[in-house]
């Protein structure tokens, strides 16, 4: 679950600030309350919190919080520390990245067409190979609402590497200029899969700077691990 945005509700001269939590079911969580003397700044606080969620600009937020009662400052900072730690891949240039659809594909052509269509319309995707009990490889593809934004200082991926496996090699579209990057990414992924290696693909917007408003370039990454293809989830749950 993650915080996608902050909202405020005003009534009877007071205001309450909530965080919208995205998960298997959406929910609201109270962040803090503003008394009658401070309720008028609720919308300004919301703007600052949503700006922080995207830009992680602590200086701007601290400057604003400095003018609010201590209880409000403490409540906001405690909430941000516990619930809003920076998560790689959580934000796009359009706001929070939300899961869109989880698909399972066993046809190479369908896999290529799915990733190509997602890339063409700007959806994000994370894809990983898996193998069933008969030894047949397929792909799990998580589509998301947008490509995550990765700041210039944050490296070349929008998700943390899985634990317990070693990264063998990485192919990125930055190093390729020979034609359709999706076709080439799928060829790299399928080649490693045919040799029995665990593979993950994903895409993101790589910023030229630290601000989410900086210019960016769409990047496709294929990570190949020195590990066998994991069993399909269906087999694990059986």
């Amino acid at each position: 679950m993650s915080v996608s945005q902050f909202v405020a509700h005003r009534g009877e001269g007071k205001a309450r600030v909530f965080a919208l939590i995205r998960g298997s079911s959406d929910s609201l969580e109270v962040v803090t309350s503003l008394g009658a003397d401070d309720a008028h700044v609720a919308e300004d606080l919301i703007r600052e919190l949503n700006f922080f969620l995207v830009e992680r600009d602590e200086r701007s937020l601290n400057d604003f919080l400095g003018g609010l009662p201590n209880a409000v400052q403490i409540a906001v900072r405690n909430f941000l520390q516990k619930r809003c730690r920076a998560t790689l891949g959580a934000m796009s240039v359009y706001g929070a990245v939300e899961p869109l659809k989880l698909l399972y594909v066993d046809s190479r052509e369908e896999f290529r067409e799915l990733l190509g269509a997602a890339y063409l319309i700007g959806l994000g995707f994370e894809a990983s190979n898996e193998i069933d009990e008969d030894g047949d490889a397929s792909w799990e593809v998580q589509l998301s609402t947008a490509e995550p934004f990765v700041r210039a200082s944050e490296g070349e991926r929008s998700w943390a590497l899985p634990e317990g496996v070693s990264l063998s090699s990485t192919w990125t579209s930055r190093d390729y200029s020979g034609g359709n990057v999706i076709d080439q990414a799928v060829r790299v992924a399928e080649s490693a899969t045919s040799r029995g290696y665990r593979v993950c693909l994903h895409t993101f917007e790589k910023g030229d700077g630290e601000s989410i408003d900086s210019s960016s370039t769409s990047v496709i990454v294929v990570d190949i691990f020195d590990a066998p293809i994991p069993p399909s989830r269906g087999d694990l749950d059986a």
Side-chain angles (χ1 to χ4, degrees), residues 144-155:
S144 54
T145 51
E147 293 182 355
F149 178 81
V150 177
R151 292 172 171 79
S153 63
E154 290 180 334

Side-chain angles (χ1 to χ4, degrees), residues 16-79:
R16 300 184 82 185
V17 174
F18 298 88
L20 177 58
I21 311 295
R22 296 290 191 189
S24 55
S25 60
D26 296 345
S27 61
L28 289 176
E29 189 169 324
V30 177
V31 178
T32 189
S33 297
L34 298 169
D37 292 339
D38 303 292
H40 64 284
V41 302
E43 295 303 323
D44 292 331
L45 176 57
I46 292 303
R47 279 193 293 271
E48 287 291 334
L49 288 171
N50 284 328
F51 180 76
F52 173 81
L53 201 60
V54 174
E55 295 287 357
R56 300 290 162 171
D57 188 342
E58 293 189 8
R59 178 178 298 180
S60 175
L61 180 61
N62 288 335
D63 287 346
F64 181 84
L65 290 178
L68 298 178
N70 286 337
V72 173
Q73 295 185 44
I74 292 171
V76 169
R77 291 191 173 108
N78 284 344
F79 182 88

